[in-house]
Amino acid sequence: MKHLLSIESLNRDEIYDILELGDSMKASRGTHSHQPLEGQCWALIFSKSSTRTRVSFEVGIRELGGKVMFLSATDIQLGRGEPIEDTARVMGRMLHGAVIRTYCQSDVEVFAKHSNIPTINALTDEEHPCQILADLMTIREKLGSIEGRSVCFIGDGACNVPASWVWAASKLDFELRIAAPKSFQPSPELLTKVGANARIHITEDVREAARGCDVLYTDVWVSMGKEKEAALRLTELANYQINDALVSLAAPHALVMHCLPAYRGKEITAETFETHAQTLFDQAENRLHAQKAILQLLAKKP
Ligand code: CP
Ligand code: NVA
């Protein structure tokens, strides 16, 4: 593994390597003396807002012995039109790794190719791989295993987070259910790429999808970059909310998860959010541990 650009590009063993190392990073936090990023300087290059991803990478890089700089894409020449290829070739001569949050998946891929330094996708319009790796870690931590489980995604099924879930379902043995209105379901192109082997069920029927599932998961209705569609999205997705009635259909032990930030009264009610706050904030915390695992695995390569 030279880069972490997508769940698509990982195989099952690589996913489990990250999850197991993430568990051990969590267990040994504050006591491990191994500093795999010692002498290294990494950059976070972000074109979109972030709380969890930014803080967890900044803390994680420092805890692994590295130094880190945050670069807002609008503050560097990239924002004034310097090509990604040139930005990447300059940064590749100075930095030891890059963590990028942007719009187009191809931009992270181009950066990785031209910089020749480990590059991590910290969210694009197409995938949010670090999120789903931390989520898998959380599910294993809470339920013992992801294999054989059923994860039910409710809401905007066409955005980055469910897309990464779709890829995860194609690599690991669990069932993914997506409940979304027709126009917010994963694209046929994505499903064709993933192939028929993955256990993925897509429906407009939110109650049918939730019935008996092990995990109920949601994401914002208006992803970053989709603000102009906000009114339409709030109307179309109004019935795709995680609330106590929906949770009562899931398995009694079901986890309620959300990548956050959460908009109460939209994709999740305030009551359901607070009932499941422990899981939700453990999930957020696991971003740190899972990403430290990713950083260590990437940093050890020459
Ligand atoms: N879930 C997540 O990626 O959060 P941020 O946008 O705050 O980084
Ligand atoms: N789908 C959301 C995820 C936020 C972490 C977005 O892209 O804004």
Side-chain angles (χ1 to χ4, degrees):
M1 190 168 83
K2 188 157 191 268
H3 307 289
L4 192 284
L5 302 182
S6 59
I7 300 287
E8 177 183 5
S9 59
L10 297 176
N11 62 38
R12 185 182 186 283
D13 289 348
E14 288 169 328
I15 293 174
Y16 271 100
D17 285 348
I18 294 167
L19 299 181
E20 280 159 20
L21 188 55
D23 291 342
S24 99
M25 288 287 183
K26 185 166 186 173
S28 64
R29 188 172 184 213
T31 61
H32 55 253
S33 53
H34 184 45
Q35 301 267 275
L37 300 192
E38 192 173 4
Q40 299 198 4
C41 186
W42 285 58
L44 269 54
I45 309 160
F46 280 34
S47 308
K48 293 176 175 174
S49 304
S50 173
T51 299
R52 280 143 289 270
T53 310
R54 177 176 175 177
V55 174
S56 54
F57 269 112
E58 291 208 23
V59 171
I61 290 166
R62 289 190 178 96
E63 288 190 5
L64 295 177
K67 295 195 165 44
V68 57
M69 67 178 76
F70 181 83
L71 301 170
S72 164
T74 51
D75 291 343
I76 57 177
Q77 299 289 6
L78 189 63
R80 299 183 67 244
E82 184 169 20
I84 293 167
E85 290 87 337
D86 294 355
T87 307
R89 284 183 285 183
V90 170
M91 293 196 176
R93 293 183 179 219
M94 302 178 187
L95 295 165
H96 299 92
V99 180
I100 302 178
R101 170 167 285 202
T102 190
Y103 294 87
C104 296
Q105 179 72 20
S106 59
D107 288 353
V108 213
E109 288 162 5
V110 168
F111 186 97
K113 179 171 170 214
H114 291 275
S115 67
N116 209 27
I117 52 173
T119 302
I120 298 175
N121 174 2
L123 180 149
T124 62
D125 288 346
E126 283 178 42
E127 274 224 39
H128 196 359
C130 298
Q131 179 69 55
I132 273 53
L133 289 163
D135 297 341
L136 292 169
M137 179 180 163
T138 307
I139 293 169
R140 272 163 44 98
E141 185 178 84
K142 306 268 175 208
L143 300 180
S145 148
I146 179 75
E147 309 284 333
R149 298 291 183 181
S150 49
V151 175
C152 176
F153 182 96
I154 310 278
D156 177 9
C159 74
N160 41 20
V161 168
S164 287
W165 271 113
V166 164
W167 282 114
S170 77
K171 312 280 172 168
L172 305 181
D173 184 22
F174 68 92
E175 181 193 357
L176 177 66
R177 308 174 189 173
I178 296 181
K182 273 265 177 292
S183 50
F184 291 92
Q185 294 181 353
S187 69
E189 294 76 26
L190 171 63
L191 297 172
T192 305
K193 253 165 95 183
V194 164
N197 284 341
R199 290 196 288 144
I200 300 171
H201 304 286
I202 300 171
T203 175
E204 288 181 276
D205 187 338
V206 66
R207 290 168 61 82
E208 174 205 316
R211 199 157 282 124
C213 71
D214 296 300
V215 177
L216 272 173
Y217 193 110
T218 192
D219 183 6
V220 296
W221 286 345
V222 185
S223 283
M224 292 179 279
K226 301 288 185 191
E227 290 78 7
K228 286 199 182 116
E229 300 174 7
L232 170 86
R233 286 168 167 268
L234 299 195
T235 308
E236 297 258 315
L237 291 162
N239 294 327
Y240 293 83
Q241 180 190 62
I242 298 189
N243 51 40
D244 288 351
L246 197 70
V247 175
S248 73
L249 299 175
H253 59 259
L255 304 177
V256 170
M257 299 179 71
H258 190 314
C259 55
L260 305 182
Y263 292 84
R264 290 161 176 79
K266 305 282 193 309
E267 73 275 3
I268 190 164
T269 60
E271 299 74 30
T272 306
F273 186 94
E274 288 310 327
T275 304
H276 296 272
Q278 183 68 44
T279 302
L280 292 159
F281 291 105
D282 284 348
Q283 178 187 2
E285 180 193 322
N286 284 340
R287 297 291 306 280
L288 170 65
H289 311 299
Q291 288 161 197
K292 281 172 72 180
I294 294 165
L295 289 163
Q296 172 161 327
L297 290 166
L298 292 179
K300 76 178 183 192
K301 301 292 176 208

